[in-house]
Amino acid sequence: MSFTDAVLKRRKVLLFVLIAIAFGGVAAFFKMGKLEDAEISVKTALVITQYPGASPHEVELRVTDILETAIQSMDNIDNIESRSMAGYSEITVNIAKSVRTKDLPQIWDILRRKVNDISVAMPQGAGKPMVVDDFGDVYGIFMALSGDGFSDEEIQDYARFMKRELLLVEGVKRVDLFGEQRSCINVELSQEKLAYLGIHPAKVIEILNNQNQMVDPGSMKVGGDRIRIASEGSFHELEDLQNILISAYGKSPIYLKDVANIKEDYVTPYSTKLKYDKIPAIGLAIAMKKGGNVIELGERVQQRIDVLKSTIPVGINVNPVFYQPERVSIAIDSFMINLIESVLIVVFVLLLAMGFRTGLLIGSGLIFTILGTFIVMLSMDIMLQRVSLAAIIIAMGMLVDNAIVIADGILVDLKKGIRRDEAMSRTARQTAMPLLGATIVAILAFLPIYMSPDATGEFCESLFQVVAISLFLSWILSLTQTPYFCDLFLRGKKYENIQEGGADPYGSKFYLKFRHFVKYSLRHKTMILLGTIFFLVSSVLVFKSVKQLFMPNLEYNQFIVEYFLPEGADIETVEKDLGGLEAYLLEQEEVLNVTTSLGATPARYTLVRPFTMSNSNYGELIVDTKDYETTVKFGAELQAYLNENYSWARARVRYYSAISSESMIEAKFSGPDPQVLRDLAEQAEQIMIDEPAAIKVTNNWKNAVKVWNPHFSQAQSRITGIQRSDVSNALACATDGLPIGVFRKDDDILPIYLKTTVPNDKYIESLENTPVWGARLQSIPLRQVVSSVDIEFEDPLIKRYNRRRAIKAQCDPAPGYNAPDTYNQIHDKIEAIVLPEGYDLEWLGEHKNSTDANENIGKFLPLAFLLIVIIIMALFNNFRQPIIILSILPLAFIGVSYGLWITGKPFGFMPVLGTLGLMGMMVKNAVVLLDQINLDVKEGKDVLVAIIDSAVSRMRPVVMASLTTILGMIPLISDELFGGMAVAIMFGLLIGSIITLIIVPVLYAIFYRVSTKNVMDL
């Protein structure tokens, strides 16, 4: 007894299961986790070390190199990148892509141990290295808390209050603030009063530290009690600091306020700042716990904010900058509309082609398959997001393919007059294994995507998972639900009381014309093959005209303006420039809101945005527009405006993309000598500058910066008693301030900075006369303890890649070009640059991303191909028929190439995935056709007749499956990310249907040496 017979004998059980699938699928849809894009684990950690006062080269050699050596000894390291700046080392540790996300915590523990063990080798004055392993956390909600007319301190207080409250919301993992201005206590000493009173600044520092030190005074026994003795060692009020007794000059006590101006202020220069529509703001970044539903989280967060608004003064506004719940809701609603449209299109096509009842029952199978897929996705913790929803639409045509084969076979058997109960199970028995094999083949076509270890594969892995789940469910339902519904609905005179050997189901004019065309193709099989080869060759030539684009931009009504001034620029200059640009943007009718971030990217609120680490010469604008079309149009206009009006800066418009890099084209030179590296990069940059297809040419070491260098005199040191550290302390007091302690204010710890006033009008001259205090009571002007003061130039940062110094020459494609176009124009010229011994060139940017993604998929193509071949061999148990099937796979390129060329869609990663899926569909159709030929031959038909009859009998299922897939893809064509994939499948399947129904029979006749001379007489 077959599986179908067994199920049909237990119809009530089957009906119960179908009802459970219907209700369970709807419930699963609402319960499933929902995101905009697939979760990608960022397998990256940072190791940050402070080394105040050191030059970039000193930081590189004394800190970065030591840490890199220790880190490099770890297993599972993909690569290590670092940047060494004045007083600061930052090492980026990238873990191998093959490492599973669940193993990352253990790897970070090993990293901490390695860093901690080597920290004893750090030079004196260097801070303890800090490992940041949550660098890749994604904050799906990013808001700006602003208040016009409120002080920075008030806004910060309300931001901290909201942070505490929002952390209590269910599903919130963490909340970070961005743009806080760090408060401090500035103690501005009067040099004249100190000199007059004979007070040494070191004495002031010593008294401050002693007064601020916490010491446990112990406890005392009183009777039978033990009483703790309290200590008021630290400062709590500003008056405590002002009233510190520092000396008793004669009979008069001298307090700190007598020789210094003491006030609470903000640390200068500030490192980050945020504005929303020109109003100062604090950023609130909210991260969700893994596996949550971001839409539900958004509702809970919004409800909590609405409650908190009642406790916040009027005028304090919470402005959404990037609100993923809303975007996810819109994206899922849009995709659900696309899904419903696709289902309706498929059902409508089936109704027209196969009749009302048959169309409805096959369409119902499609609905059950989708609902069942939701249930399995929920159980496997596969979220609803852009890729998983698109996978359902992509699989749409294949989902009805099995049901079409079974339903068409039942209809044919009924028309032939076969007994009803036999007709309901006969086709299922005959085609169950071929359909299973063909279904597995279609699934395996997407296997390389799932097994690809890089971020692109992780982004698209749910494509394979959902296709596999849905196709397997469609096979099960086609063997159970389809015969059951056929028996329920295919009743009446049209389907009953038909005598054995009834009317020919393929006797209509349409079938007769198709039969004639098949016979004509077999008769002229040489001409058909030559024509096919001609189209294949022509498609290769046409493909040269198809645009190349690895990953398209995503459809966001928001874009980013990155703004870099030359290295060494002050952050206040960046703020001034962006203030003017912000005012211009807010005057444009296309712009809704503008968020200004200074010093760094405010938060990684989505993985599909470019991210820039801390830089004092950097700022960015997050610009909201009406819709995506406005974003693209206005973004191009704004770039032209930036080029014309901000030519002194590197200002560029950036869009959201699934895969992005610092620049789209990057040539990395690595080697030992910084000057040689700069020379090589300059040669590459000149090639880029001379190329019209390249713009925004730069390098990642940027320009050399000025350094004011007072050369300490050892001879003067012996005479004056001044040490090198005394000079550094004096200059620190005269500039940013010398940290000398902390001040505890409520729950905050404020640093105390010792400063001396320097006139702004004669700043450099005043610095040269800065009083320097040594062991003696009298100060000495700086110029008397240095041999000379020079203005020199140095590299502002030194970047390394895998412990080798490395510099990248960078550019972007000019308008009208894409990255492959520009790369093709310049790569030969740059590769022709003569590299000294010990120096290497490597291409990064989009070229590397594209190459790596394709190579990672290519690694597992042989495995998928081998598994497909094994399955086909198992189905047919011979060599010739598998060879026939495999020989038609290259022909899929015909439709893909012409389709992309006609529609103007670029060829990239997503069309590659579509092509793989297309091949699976073609194999599936060919398997079922060849199986039908084998069945007819076994029944005693002449081989030539079997070829013709099988092609005719498979025509409607193949055409219907292809047509439903093609038309079901229509809603995806306009999608920026999946449009190219949809076109590849649609046009490829259009040509693939012809290949299946015509080329496969022709190849069968050739491989089996079937004479077709008299075929037209049949």
Side-chain angles (χ1 to χ4, degrees):
M1 182 183 294
S2 69
F3 175 63
T4 302
D5 290 324
V7 171
L8 290 178
K9 287 185 177 182
R10 295 168 177 82
R11 300 189 178 203
K12 291 183 179 180
V13 176
L14 176 59
L15 180 60
F16 175 78
V17 171
L18 293 176
I19 293 172
I21 289 174
F23 284 98
V26 173
F29 172 77
F30 289 104
K31 194 175 181 180
M32 293 169 66
K34 296 178 177 66
L35 286 173
E36 185 177 17
D37 291 297
E39 288 184 325
I40 301 176
S41 56
V42 179
K43 300 169 184 175
T44 299
L46 299 180
V47 180
I48 297 172
T49 311
Q50 304 285 346
Y51 188 18
S55 69
H57 280 281
E58 289 172 331
V59 171
E60 178 203 15
L61 298 176
R62 299 179 187 177
V63 175
T64 304
D65 185 65
I66 294 172
L67 289 169
E68 283 182 341
T69 302
I71 295 169
Q72 191 75 52
S73 65
M74 288 176 58
D75 295 328
N76 300 312
I77 295 291
D78 184 16
N79 60 73
I80 298 174
E81 298 180 76
S82 66
R83 60 173 185 160
S84 301
M85 307 167 66
Y88 178 81
S89 167
E90 180 185 281
I91 302 172
T92 303
V93 183
N94 296 305
I95 303 301
K97 300 177 179 66
S98 57
V99 172
R100 297 291 181 182
T101 302
K102 63 182 178 64
D103 297 328
L104 285 178
Q106 182 179 0
I107 291 177
W108 299 147
D109 288 341
I110 296 172
L111 175 62
R112 282 191 176 85
R113 287 201 298 270
K114 291 284 186 182
V115 170
N116 186 61
D117 291 345
I118 201 65
S119 61
V120 295
M122 292 290 100
Q124 184 178 2
K128 186 176 181 180
M130 179 174 62
V131 177
V132 182
D133 62 1
D134 57 358
F135 171 68
D137 280 359
V138 178
Y139 302 85
I141 300 175
F142 181 64
M143 299 176 290
L145 187 74
S146 65
D148 196 8
F150 291 84
S151 68
D152 291 343
E153 186 175 4
E154 288 175 316
I155 296 175
Q156 289 179 180
D157 287 341
Y158 289 120
R160 292 174 184 176
F161 165 70
M162 293 199 69
K163 174 181 178 178
R164 290 194 299 269
E165 293 296 320
L166 291 175
L167 279 170
L168 301 176
V169 175
E170 181 186 353
V172 171
K173 177 183 177 182
R174 60 185 293 181
V175 180
D176 282 350
L177 302 181
F178 178 87
E180 283 187 292
Q181 301 307 298
R182 190 182 179 195
S183 297
C184 68
I185 303 297
N186 284 332
V187 179
E188 296 180 354
L189 292 173
S190 169
Q191 297 285 355
E192 294 80 7
K193 290 182 179 180
L194 289 176
Y196 174 74
L197 296 172
I199 298 174
H200 198 294
K203 184 68 175 177
V204 176
I205 297 172
E206 181 183 357
I207 293 172
L208 280 172
N209 286 329
N210 289 337
Q211 283 287 108
N212 204 25
Q213 188 175 6
M214 293 293 291
V215 178
D216 183 7
S219 61
M220 62 181 179
K221 184 179 179 182
V222 179
D225 297 329
R226 174 67 64 176
I227 301 175
R228 187 181 70 85
I229 302 174
S231 171
E232 295 184 354
S234 58
F235 306 121
H236 296 286
E237 300 293 339
L238 208 58
E239 290 183 359
D240 297 338
L241 196 59
Q242 294 170 337
N243 293 323
I244 290 178
L245 183 66
I246 59 173
S247 178
Y249 184 73
K251 295 182 179 180
S252 302
I254 300 174
Y255 300 99
L256 182 59
K257 62 184 177 182
D258 296 329
V259 295
N261 178 28
I262 305 168
K263 62 180 179 180
E264 184 176 347
D265 207 341
Y266 292 111
V267 175
T268 55
Y270 59 85
S271 57
T272 60
K273 186 180 283 190
L274 192 75
K275 295 181 181 180
Y276 186 84
D277 288 347
K278 300 179 68 175
I279 300 172
I282 300 294
L284 281 164
I286 303 173
M288 181 180 70
K289 291 180 180 177
K290 186 174 179 61
N293 185 324
V294 75
I295 296 178
E296 294 178 357
L297 176 67
E299 292 173 354
R300 291 193 293 269
V301 168
Q302 190 57 54
Q303 289 171 3
R304 189 61 183 158
I305 290 175
D306 292 339
V307 172
L308 294 176
K309 282 182 178 179
S310 61
T311 62
I312 295 176
V314 175
I316 296 287
N317 299 312
V318 182
N319 311 288
V321 178
F322 188 91
Y323 202 69
Q324 194 179 78
E326 181 182 359
R327 293 181 181 274
V328 170
S329 181
I330 293 173
I332 289 180
D333 288 347
S334 174
F335 265 98
M336 289 308 297
I337 291 172
N338 289 344
L339 183 59
I340 292 170
E341 288 175 351
S342 297
V343 171
L344 292 177
I345 290 171
V346 169
V347 173
F348 180 72
V349 171
L350 292 171
L351 291 176
L352 289 180
M354 303 191 73
F356 183 78
R357 294 185 183 182
T358 309
L360 279 183
L361 69 89
I362 295 176
S364 66
L366 176 61
I367 302 297
F368 281 116
T369 301
I370 294 172
L371 293 175
T373 301
F374 286 154
I375 295 173
V376 180
M377 287 173 65
L378 176 63
S379 66
M380 294 179 61
D381 200 26
I382 301 173
M383 293 192 178
L384 274 181
Q385 31 82 9
R386 190 191 310 270
V387 176
S388 59
L389 280 170
I392 297 175
I393 299 176
I394 290 166
M396 191 74 64
M398 293 185 283
L399 296 183
V400 298
D401 195 9
N402 292 329
I404 288 174
V405 172
I406 301 297
D408 183 71
I410 292 173
L411 284 173
V412 170
D413 285 349
L414 288 175
K415 286 187 178 183
K416 287 180 177 180
I418 294 176
R419 196 175 71 252
R420 185 176 184 83
D421 59 342
E422 174 66 13
M424 292 302 147
S425 60
R426 179 173 176 271
T427 303
R429 285 199 308 271
Q430 291 180 342
T431 61
M433 294 312 297
L435 285 179
L436 176 60
T439 299
I440 294 174
V441 165
I443 292 171
L444 288 174
F446 292 95
L447 180 64
I449 305 166
Y450 178 72
M451 299 190 72
S452 177
D454 63 355
T456 311
E458 192 173 359
F459 181 78
C460 297
E461 70 175 0
S462 60
L463 184 67
F464 168 80
Q465 294 171 327
V466 174
V467 167
I469 293 167
S470 58
L471 284 183
F472 189 70
L473 284 177
S474 74
W475 177 76
I476 294 175
L477 289 171
S478 69
L479 298 181
T480 55
Q481 178 260 340
T482 300
Y484 174 50
F485 274 33
C486 283
D487 193 30
L488 282 179
F489 296 113
L490 300 185
R491 293 186 177 275
K493 294 181 180 180
K494 183 178 179 181
Y495 304 103
E496 296 178 352
N497 301 322
I498 301 175
Q499 296 181 356
E500 186 78 25
D504 182 6
Y506 308 114
S508 65
K509 289 184 178 180
F510 181 78
Y511 278 114
L512 291 175
K513 288 184 178 180
F514 179 71
R515 179 183 291 273
H516 177 77
F517 183 66
V518 173
K519 292 193 291 184
Y520 181 85
S521 300
L522 289 169
R523 179 66 184 86
H524 301 89
K525 53 182 180 291
T526 303
M527 181 185 69
I528 293 294
L529 279 182
L530 291 175
T532 303
I533 294 171
F534 168 77
F535 279 109
L536 179 61
V537 173
S538 67
S539 67
V540 174
L541 299 176
V542 165
F543 187 73
K544 294 180 179 179
S545 302
V546 174
K547 295 179 181 178
Q548 305 290 308
L549 182 63
F550 176 52
M551 274 286 186
N553 298 323
L554 301 180
E555 297 183 9
Y556 282 14
N557 62 328
Q558 189 179 79
F559 64 88
I560 298 159
V561 178
E562 292 182 336
Y563 191 87
F564 286 93
L565 284 180
E567 287 290 331
D570 186 67
I571 194 169
E572 292 184 2
T573 307
V574 179
E575 181 178 7
K576 181 181 177 182
D577 287 359
L578 289 185
L581 182 56
E582 187 179 36
Y584 166 79
L585 288 171
L586 290 173
E587 293 173 355
Q588 310 305 309
E589 61 179 13
E590 297 91 344
V591 175
L592 301 179
N593 304 104
V594 179
T595 304
T596 304
S597 175
L598 298 167
T601 295
R604 194 189 295 274
Y605 50 78
T606 173
L607 278 172
V608 297
R609 67 145 294 154
F611 193 87
T612 301
M613 299 295 290
S614 298
N615 276 300
S616 62
N617 64 322
Y618 174 76
E620 69 177 42
L621 303 176
I622 304 170
V623 184
D624 295 313
T625 60
K626 298 176 181 177
D627 49 42
Y628 178 67
E629 289 72 21
T630 305
T631 294
V632 175
K633 181 177 181 296
F634 181 69
E637 295 173 358
L638 179 61
Q639 186 63 69
Y641 177 84
L642 293 171
N643 294 341
E644 182 177 350
N645 295 277
Y646 292 86
S647 57
W648 59 86
R650 185 170 186 263
R652 57 177 179 168
V653 173
R654 299 287 301 272
Y655 302 102
Y656 293 83
S657 175
I659 301 294
S660 63
S661 55
E662 190 176 349
S663 289
M664 298 186 75
I665 297 99
E666 298 180 336
K668 177 177 71 68
F669 296 94
S670 57
D673 191 331
Q675 188 55 50
V676 174
L677 290 176
R678 278 199 176 273
D679 291 342
L680 293 172
E682 286 176 5
Q683 295 180 55
E685 287 176 68
Q686 189 59 52
I687 293 171
M688 294 174 177
I689 291 171
D690 295 339
E691 174 52 53
I695 58 171
K696 301 298 177 184
V697 178
T698 185
N699 69 75
N700 68 332
W701 282 28
K702 309 306 179 185
N703 56 282
V705 297
K706 298 174 184 176
V707 178
W708 192 76
N709 190 357
H711 297 282
F712 182 72
S713 172
Q714 295 288 348
Q716 289 294 101
S717 171
R718 289 191 294 271
I719 298 172
T720 60
I722 300 293
Q723 303 299 320
R724 189 186 301 273
S725 59
D726 298 327
V727 174
S728 297
N729 290 337
L731 287 172
C733 289
T735 53
D736 297 335
L738 177 67
I740 59 172
V742 294
F743 179 86
R744 291 174 175 83
K745 179 183 178 183
D746 298 328
D747 57 349
D748 289 336
I749 298 178
L750 280 58
I752 301 174
Y753 288 101
L754 194 65
K755 291 189 175 184
T756 54
T757 55
V758 178
N760 290 329
D761 54 342
K762 296 181 179 179
Y763 190 70
I764 299 296
E765 182 181 340
S766 299
L767 280 182
E768 293 179 356
N769 290 304
T770 296
V772 181
W773 298 81
R776 302 176 184 178
L777 288 177
Q778 293 79 23
S779 64
I780 298 174
L782 175 67
R783 54 187 168 79
Q784 293 185 12
V785 296
V786 297
S787 57
S788 63
V789 177
D790 298 323
I791 298 291
E792 300 172 350
F793 285 87
E794 71 175 8
D795 292 318
L797 71 163
I798 299 169
K799 295 205 172 186
R800 292 159 55 120
Y801 187 87
N802 285 339
R803 300 189 60 207
R804 297 187 71 197
R805 289 170 177 159
I807 186 171
K808 292 189 286 190
Q810 303 165 308
C811 68
D812 289 329
Y817 297 89
N818 55 34
D821 296 334
T822 306
Y823 170 79
N824 291 333
Q825 294 293 327
I826 64 175
H827 83 277
D828 285 339
K829 298 175 184 177
I830 291 178
E831 288 175 2
I833 296 174
V834 178
L835 299 178
E837 187 176 350
Y839 292 81
D840 299 307
L841 167 64
E842 180 184 0
W843 288 99
L844 302 179
E846 185 175 296
H847 174 76
K848 180 174 175 58
N849 291 335
S850 174
T851 302
D852 287 350
N854 292 330
E855 284 181 355
N856 282 319
I857 289 180
K859 288 178 184 177
F860 299 99
L861 272 177
L863 174 62
F865 183 78
L866 177 61
L867 293 174
I868 289 172
V869 171
I870 291 173
I871 291 171
I872 297 174
M873 291 284 292
L875 287 173
F876 297 107
N877 196 29
N878 61 56
F879 287 103
R880 283 186 282 189
Q881 292 180 25
I883 291 174
I884 291 172
I885 292 173
L886 298 177
S887 64
I888 67 171
L889 293 184
L891 303 180
F893 187 71
I894 298 174
V896 174
S897 178
Y898 276 100
L900 294 174
W901 178 61
I902 292 170
T903 60
K905 294 284 185 180
F907 182 80
F909 185 75
M910 300 311 289
V912 167
L913 303 188
T915 304
L916 293 176
L918 168 66
M919 291 180 177
M921 298 176 201
M922 290 178 60
V923 170
K924 184 178 182 181
N925 286 332
V927 164
V928 179
L929 174 57
L930 290 173
D931 183 72
Q932 186 63 49
I933 295 175
N934 293 338
L935 285 174
D936 287 352
V937 172
K938 285 181 180 179
E939 290 178 357
K941 285 187 180 181
D942 179 74
V943 177
L944 185 56
V945 174
I947 294 173
I948 299 169
D949 287 351
S950 297
V952 172
S953 66
R954 281 296 298 158
M955 187 270 292
R956 182 165 66 173
V958 169
V959 171
M960 286 301 96
S962 299
L963 196 58
T964 52
T965 302
I966 291 169
L967 297 179
M969 287 285 169
I970 290 176
L972 279 183
I973 292 179
S974 59
D975 187 271
E976 194 77 12
L977 182 61
F978 295 102
M981 175 189 282
V983 167
I985 292 176
M986 291 171 70
F987 281 83
L989 204 53
L990 180 65
I991 302 300
S993 300
I994 300 172
I995 292 169
T996 300
L997 296 172
I998 302 300
I999 305 302
V1000 170
V1002 167
L1003 290 175
Y1004 190 97
I1006 292 173
F1007 274 79
Y1008 282 88
R1009 298 180 181 178
V1010 179
S1011 175
T1012 59
K1013 291 182 180 179
N1014 301 319
V1015 68
M1016 303 304 293
D1017 298 332
L1018 297 176

